[in-house]
Amino acid sequence: MCNDYCKCENVKSITTEECEFGYWEICCQCGKRIEDGFHYYNHYDGEDHDDIDIF
Ligand SMILES: [Zn+2]
């Protein structure tokens, strides 16, 4: 689906791209998503589940 991630070695600044479940970190230099840069909105109390399903 989306296999085109940022490949910049030194990302100086990022922005975010919000979606339904969370947001992506976006490289400001190339405008692409940062791999593993996805953050869920719903972080439960005290527990930070880090299981990201890859379809
Ligand atoms: Zn980049």
Side-chain angles (χ1 to χ4, degrees), residues 1 5 19 21-25 33-42 48-55:
M1 192 174 78
Y5 292 106
C19 71
F21 302 109
Y23 62 91
W24 283 96
E25 294 177 351
R33 292 173 179 177
I34 295 177
E35 194 167 10
D36 299 325
F38 187 78
H39 299 276
Y40 284 100
Y41 289 135
N42 54 339
D48 195 356
H49 296 285
D50 202 16
D51 48 350
I52 298 176
D53 293 324
I54 298 178
F55 296 101

Side-chain angles (χ1 to χ4, degrees), residues 3-33:
N3 56 4
D4 194 16
Y5 292 106
C6 168
K7 292 182 174 59
C8 300
E9 291 188 9
N10 294 304
V11 179
K12 294 176 183 176
S13 60
I14 62 167
T15 183
T16 57
E17 176 187 272
E18 296 186 13
C19 71
E20 187 175 357
F21 302 109
Y23 62 91
W24 283 96
E25 294 177 351
I26 306 293
C27 174
C28 283
Q29 294 175 228
C30 65
K32 295 177 183 176
R33 292 173 179 177

